[in-house]
Each structure stands twice: as structure tokens, then as C-alpha cells.
Amino acid sequence: GENVEQHPSTLSVQEGDSAVIKCTYSDSASNYFPWYKQELGKRPQLIIDIRSNVGEKKDQRIAVTLNKTAKHFSLHITETQPEDSAVYFCAAANQAGTALIFGKGTTLSVSS
Amino acid sequence: NAGVTQTPKFRILKIGQSMTLQCTQDMNHNYMYWYRQDPGMGLKLIYYSVGAGITDKGEVPNGYNVSRSTTEDFPLRLELAAPSQTSVYFCASSYQDTMSGELFFGEGSRLTVL
């Protein structure tokens, strides 16, 4: 089945720096790649997603890039702020396209 | 809309006991899921359902059972609780299939098995 690897597991940056989180997936048939943010003690929430027919998508300070040939996708956060501190999860659909398989998460800490 | 509602929020079980985690959604979503979250391990898919009467195993189904008799409800049953089932459980739903639909999560249920 689908396997999603996520790196790094922890990431510490200074306020204003950029942060990059990378994920790889195993199933070449996957074509939907969302990113979820989970603040401490809260539920995961979708922040951005990308489909395989595009290579990059931006939403204000966050962007996601996709390389289908290499089977990897990345989350980019620019001008980080303390409120960006959270756990970020990447995901890809399972082979049947009926459920999401998540990476292990990246704990991002932004210090001011 | 209340969204996805899970009960209970917290529960302590003894080894060998049974319990059901309840999940209900009021968004008329077809797809529902159960995930467990352990520190450093991300979200692991336990079971999912693409509609009433249909359920499928996810990545870690052993020790759990589910049913989907209505569109709204998707309970998760633990028959013989084990310490390895200590975790935070999240129920989620989506209107469309996961290739195009956002997952809406409940607030989570923290289960401790002693």
C-alpha cells in the first residue's frame, strides 16, 4: 500500500526565516497531496493541498511543490511567525483513492 | 452545524475491558475515518467507510471493529483493550473521496489502557 515518509521530524527556526518540510510517497498512482496543521491539543486542519496536474500552489506565506517523477512534495513557509509553531502532516491517498495515508509529522518551532 | 462530534473525550480502561468510541457528523458526508495518533508516529488509519453499510480496513485494524449503519454515525469498538491501544483517536469525515475532499476531524478521544 501507500507509504509516506516525512522529514525532518523536528524543525526549529527564527521568526522571519523560511521553513521547508519534505515528503516522499510510494504509489505513483496517487494524485492528491494535502498538508494538515495541528496545533497543540487541537485537531488537524487542512492548510493547503495540491493535485498532480500542477507543480506548485501558493496561498499567502505557504506554498507546496510537487515532483511526480521523483514522487516527492514539499511545504514551504516563508516569513515564519510564532503562530506557525505546530505539527505539520503531509498525506497522500491510498491505492484505492478512498483514504489518506499520513506522514509521521514535523514539529515546527518558531522562536521570536 | 456541529461538524464531527466524538465521545467520550477522555477514558481510562483496564486491560481486557471493552468500549465504543462514538463518532457522528451532521454534514451529510459519505466518507468517514478513524485514525489513531501516537507521539512521533503521525496519524495511522484504523478503519474507514465510503458509505452506509460499507467499511474497510486501514493500516492498523487489529483489535478494533467498526460499523456504519447510518450516514451520520461511525462507532469504533475495542473488544479487549490492551496497553498498546493507549492513544488519541480521531474520527474524520469528508464529502467526496480523499482525492479531492478535505477531511474534517473531530476533537479527538484520549484513551488510556492500564
Side-chain angles (χ1 to χ4, degrees):
Chain A
E2 177 70 278
N3 184 49
V4 179
E5 299 285 340
Q6 183 172 348
H7 300 280
S9 56
T10 60
L11 181 59
S12 296
V13 299
Q14 292 286 324
E15 183 177 1
D17 288 349
S18 295
V20 180
I21 303 170
K22 299 182 179 181
C23 289
T24 60
Y25 61 97
S26 59
D27 185 0
S28 57
S30 291
N31 61 14
Y32 175 64
F33 308 93
W35 287 87
Y36 283 76
K37 175 183 180 182
Q38 185 181 29
E39 297 177 350
L40 189 63
K42 301 287 183 65
R43 72 191 86 186
Q45 291 188 298
L46 179 70
I47 55 171
I48 195 168
D49 57 14
I50 190 167
R51 292 170 176 77
S52 59
N53 57 345
V54 297
E56 184 176 5
K57 183 178 179 181
K58 284 185 178 180
D59 183 3
Q60 299 183 340
R61 295 186 298 108
I62 61 173
V64 57
T65 58
L66 171 65
N67 183 328
K68 284 223 74 180
T69 302
K71 291 191 284 187
H72 68 71
F73 56 111
S74 300
L75 177 71
H76 304 253
I77 306 174
T78 58
E79 300 173 24
T80 54
Q81 301 168 3
E83 52 265 38
D84 294 328
S85 296
V87 180
Y88 292 81
F89 294 100
C90 62
N94 64 354
Q95 286 183 330
T98 49
L100 285 178
I101 304 301
F102 285 85
K104 291 185 177 180
T106 296
T107 301
L108 174 65
S109 300
V110 181
S111 54
S112 54
Chain B
N1 287 350
V4 179
T5 303
Q6 292 180 232
T7 56
K9 288 185 169 49
F10 302 93
R11 181 74 186 268
I12 298 174
L13 279 182
K14 294 182 179 179
I15 294 171
Q17 286 185 322
S18 300
M19 75 159 298
T20 299
L21 296 175
Q22 301 291 345
C23 176
T24 186
Q25 51 90 10
D26 61 359
M27 298 174 283
N28 200 32
H29 285 174
N30 293 318
Y31 289 66
M32 295 188 75
Y33 314 86
W34 275 105
Y35 288 89
R36 60 176 286 173
Q37 183 175 24
D38 302 301
M41 296 302 294
L43 294 156
K44 291 293 188 183
L45 180 65
I46 304 172
Y47 271 96
Y48 64 100
S49 169
V50 301
I54 305 169
T55 62
D56 259 311
K57 294 179 180 179
E59 301 170 273
V60 290
N62 291 346
Y64 307 94
N65 278 299
V66 293
S67 60
R68 184 93 183 273
S69 56
T70 67
T71 298
E72 295 78 19
D73 301 308
F74 190 41
L76 177 71
R77 178 85 177 159
L78 286 72
E79 289 294 349
L80 291 170
S84 60
Q85 294 177 305
T86 293
S87 189
V88 179
Y89 292 84
F90 284 98
C91 179
S93 72
S94 66
Y95 178 65
Q96 296 172 308
D97 61 72
T98 56
M99 302 300 270
S100 56
E102 176 180 356
L103 290 192
F104 292 86
F105 284 86
E107 292 185 311
S109 298
R110 183 177 293 275
L111 176 66
T112 302
V113 182
L114 301 174

